Amino acid sequence: MQAAVITGKGLLSSDLRNHDRWFTSGGLCRRIGGRSVRLGEREFGIDLKKGSSGFMDSEFVCGRIGFGGSFRSKPKARSIRAQPSNGDLEKASYVTPPAKSSGKVLPYVGVACLGAILFGYHLGVVNGALEYLSKDLGIAENTVLQGWVVSTTLAGATIGSFTGGSLADKFGRTRTFQLDAIPLAVGTFLCATAQSVQTMIIGRLLAGIGIGISSAIVPLYISEISPTEIRGALGSINQLFICVGILAALVAGLPLAQNPTWWRTMFIIAVVPAVLMGLGMAFSPESPRWLFQQGKILEAEAAIRTLYGKERVAEVMNDLRASGQGSLEQEAGWFDLFSQRYRKAVSVGAALYLFQQFAGINAVVYYSTSVFRSAGIASDVAASALVGAANVFGTAVASSLMDRQGRKSLLITSFSGMAASMMLLSLSFTWKVLAPYSGTLAVLGTVLYVLSFSLGTGPVPALLLPEIFASRIRAKAVALSLGTHWISNFVIGLYFLSVVNKFGISKIYFSFAIVCILAVIYVAQNVVETKGRSLEEIERALSPAV
């Protein structure tokens, strides 16, 4: 059913002004016969609701009130758009003129991204250092202990990701960052100074807990402080800096060939960003949304002034109040995540991370060097550097497209490209006619896969999930999703080589391609588009008050 549009001159007729009115999403709304009307700077909207139910069963279609718009002496034509609600956020007609973006948030996003850099660095640092630290610690012949050195970080990250959500809800986002700096710095110091494998494992466990907490709170904090119109670009910076961290770990390992004890320096370097993150967060504003949730209204207004300027305080506070249940409902518990009200959004979050991991990204990154070597590529370092550069480049491109193309379209494009790349890799190891080119095809397929991953599958989940989760469950729901990520990551790292030895790399790559195709279907049917909408608009649509 198409929307009906009525256009006229001037303001609404005087009889409308006799009805109830309220502020929501930064503008004035009126209720007329059960319908919500918004007086906007350029247009206002009516959303005709008739007992809709399901994932989206309440919304207000509103614009912004402007003193230079509705109240100017020569008013321009206005329009009323009547749009039926069918339960789909993507098809809702939002009338929200873009606000002026603010660069004031960028320094605070930068401080938060130190956690993302450490995330990537700690994942990548052991790849180059493992051979040399194993000799120093006397475990060169013990592959089991070497496996513990690698996998302990993933186990710690699983613990940290679940812990991070509870800490962020209890102490706030910035204080959790400061607490997170402790295991990151202490764990890194223990790794750098370890004289035994036991000390190394403890250090890796603490560092893992630190990056697990970071993985949960970095996208959460960035999402909550970013202006709506640039939230996509800023949110994808998280993944970009993870890639930068991985690439930095690769570069940091270059002197190892000439200096076998350099691995200790590689670890100690990571203490610096951990300390800077803790200190930087002491001067960063708390999330206004968390402060509002805690009933700290004055502190929330002060944070908004710091982040966006005093001229936007009233607008943002009205938007927070319009989200309805924010400060009126009790803090959500873990079991609330599985209630009928929230379970669909939570299931989407977990599913996206499961698809991300079981589409093969960590298997490709962790074992790309071995794949290149078996394919006849002489320089392992050059091949790995190429993969890292493709990851950074693709994520940078995704950051520029996030607020224009949207999250959903990038996910579909990304998974489709990954499926095609995996098919190419599988065929390169199967078809005998391609045997003379297997080395070139292995590198090409891997680089295209990583590039496709970084365009959507990598950055979008960490950005999208804080957007679709309601404020009262946001921290815990993000933590649960990240827990799914780390557990699946650990399982893949533990069993990947065994499965490859049993079934062969070609069949494994083909199975990854199938997972990517299933992900395309799932995203098309279940993921909603969130670009251009405030967190409060999304929350009102996807998690209506009860």
Side-chain angles (χ1 to χ4, degrees), residues 437-509:
Y437 315 103
S438 61
T440 302
L441 290 176
V443 174
L444 180 63
T446 301
V447 171
L448 288 177
Y449 176 90
V450 172
L451 186 62
S452 298
F453 173 87
S454 62
L455 285 173
T457 307
V460 169
L463 167 65
L464 182 68
L465 301 194
E467 293 180 329
I468 66 174
F469 294 145
S471 58
R472 69 186 294 259
I473 68 162
R474 188 171 291 137
K476 288 185 175 68
V478 169
L480 178 65
S481 300
L482 265 297
T484 304
H485 165 274
W486 288 114
I487 291 171
S488 55
N489 191 331
F490 178 79
V491 170
I492 291 171
L494 192 61
Y495 293 107
F496 178 72
L497 281 183
S498 301
V499 174
V500 168
N501 291 335
K502 184 175 182 178
F503 296 102
I505 189 66
S506 178
K507 291 182 179 178
I508 299 303
Y509 280 156

Side-chain angles (χ1 to χ4, degrees), residues 7-170:
T7 304
K9 287 276 188 180
L11 299 172
L12 286 171
S13 58
S14 60
D15 62 308
L16 299 187
R17 291 194 285 269
N18 295 324
H19 296 270
D20 295 336
R21 60 183 178 181
W22 66 94
F23 284 96
T24 179
S25 297
L28 180 65
C29 287
R30 299 179 186 277
R31 178 168 294 281
I32 306 171
R35 295 167 175 76
S36 60
V37 179
R38 173 71 174 265
L39 301 184
E41 184 174 356
R42 295 190 179 276
E43 56 186 352
F44 48 87
I46 302 175
D47 185 32
L48 301 179
K49 311 286 296 180
K50 291 188 177 180
S52 63
S53 61
F55 193 32
M56 169 184 170
D57 54 13
S58 71
E59 73 177 273
F60 294 107
V61 180
C62 297
R64 299 187 184 282
I65 191 161
F67 294 102
S70 298
F71 302 105
R72 58 167 64 100
S73 58
K74 294 182 180 181
K76 294 183 179 180
R78 305 283 188 262
S79 67
I80 301 176
R81 179 173 296 276
Q83 180 80 24
S85 174
N86 60 357
D88 191 346
L89 175 64
E90 296 173 84
K91 296 178 182 178
S93 177
Y94 287 93
V95 185
T96 306
K100 187 176 181 180
S101 63
S102 171
K104 293 182 179 180
V105 302
L106 295 181
Y108 310 118
V109 171
V111 173
C113 282
L114 289 173
I117 292 175
L118 288 168
F119 181 157
Y121 191 86
H122 280 291
L123 286 182
V125 70
V126 75
N127 287 347
L130 184 61
E131 177 184 349
Y132 300 92
L133 70 84
S134 297
K135 291 178 182 177
D136 276 6
L137 301 180
I139 59 170
E141 304 300 324
N142 192 330
T143 55
V144 174
L145 286 178
Q146 289 181 33
W148 275 100
V149 170
V150 174
S151 60
T152 299
T153 300
L154 301 180
T158 303
I159 298 171
S161 63
F162 284 110
T163 305
S166 297
L167 290 175
D169 275 341
K170 184 174 181 61

Side-chain angles (χ1 to χ4, degrees), residues 164-173 176 290 294 296 331 476:
S166 297
L167 290 175
D169 275 341
K170 184 174 181 61
F171 299 109
R173 293 17 172 175
T176 302
W290 181 81
Q294 303 301 308
K296 300 178 179 180
E331 181 180 312
K476 288 185 175 68

